[in-house]
């Protein structure tokens, strides 16, 4: 099963996605996409690792190249998040660059084939309504392609607003 959970910054999307994963038996994997740029990022990553360990997640760090991940045992996988992953693939010299949307969608498919249930956390960043500079526009278009592709393939699509999940596809039977 494939579930896409989207929401804005501090909407509760990540907490909701994690709560869904806890409904499933072990093993539980957390694919973390954050790039560690400085000491502040490193502290944040360590804090999140400790929180996930308490919930019996095995963390897999993958800021780019999802297609290279091999899940040791079929189980539950939480991919957090598409916004970071898209930026990393687009702007990291080792990333996919202009082929970001295709690379991420391919990586999600490879990951999905290795697990019982994949929950993907996405970002709602499309309601600004402004004209953006080239790089920002490129990022937004890639992220939209990725999320639209995953939503089309997903069994469940949910948007979290103020901590409240609203299902657009598949109902709340996750």
């Amino acid at each position: 099963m494939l579930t896409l959970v989207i929401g804005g910054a501090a909407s509760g999307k990540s907490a909701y996605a994690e709560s869904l994963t806890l409904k499933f038996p072990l093993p539980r994997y957390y694919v973390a996409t954050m790039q560690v740029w400085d000491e502040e990022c490193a502290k944040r990553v360590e804090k999140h690792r400790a929180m996930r360990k308490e919930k019996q997640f095995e963390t897999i760090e993958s800021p780019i190249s999802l297609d290279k991940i091999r899940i040791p045992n079929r189980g539950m996988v939480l991919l957090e998040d598409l916004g970071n992953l898209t930026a990393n693939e687009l702007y990291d010299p080792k990333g996919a660059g202009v082929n970001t949307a295709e690379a991420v969608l391919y990586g999600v498919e490879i990951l999905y084939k290795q697990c019982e249930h994949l929950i993907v956390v996405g970002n709602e960043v499309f309601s600004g309504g402004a004209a953006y500079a080239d790089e920002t526009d490129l990022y937004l278009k890639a992220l939209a392609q990725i999320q639209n592709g995953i939503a089309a393939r997903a069994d469940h699509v949910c948007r979290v607003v103020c901590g409240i999940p609203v299902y657009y596809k598949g109902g709340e039977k996750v």
Side-chain angles (χ1 to χ4, degrees), residues 80-163:
E80 170 88 30
D81 73 26
L82 291 176
N84 284 332
L85 181 60
T86 299
N88 297 340
E89 287 285 5
L90 198 54
Y91 302 118
D92 187 303
K94 296 177 185 172
V98 296
N99 299 314
T100 290
E102 295 83 5
V104 171
L105 288 169
Y106 177 70
V108 167
E109 190 61 30
I110 296 297
L111 196 57
Y112 178 57
K113 289 178 181 178
Q114 298 178 63
C115 61
E116 296 296 325
H117 192 135
L118 174 61
I119 297 177
V120 180
V121 178
N123 305 88
E124 179 57 51
V125 294
F126 307 104
S127 56
Y132 294 101
D134 293 342
E135 290 299 311
T136 302
D137 195 48
L138 184 65
Y139 169 79
L140 291 173
K141 284 180 180 176
L143 183 58
Q145 279 183 284
I146 293 164
Q147 290 186 168
N148 289 344
I150 294 171
R153 174 87 164 81
D155 301 291
H156 303 275
V157 177
C158 172
R159 181 175 181 220
V160 178
V161 180
C162 299

Side-chain angles (χ1 to χ4, degrees), residues 70-82:
R70 296 299 172 259
I71 303 297
N73 296 301
R74 287 186 72 79
M76 179 75 225
V77 176
L78 175 59
L79 171 60
E80 170 88 30
D81 73 26
L82 291 176

Side-chain angles (χ1 to χ4, degrees), residues 17-19 21-22 26 28-31 49 51-59 76-78:
E18 279 191 25
S19 77
T21 64
L22 298 178
L26 298 173
R28 239 177 245 135
Y29 302 96
Y30 191 108
V31 178
R49 276 189 196 136
M51 289 169 39
R52 290 191 298 265
K53 191 171 185 173
E54 290 174 13
K55 297 174 184 173
Q56 297 180 293
F57 280 104
E58 182 179 324
T59 299
M76 179 75 225
V77 176
L78 175 59

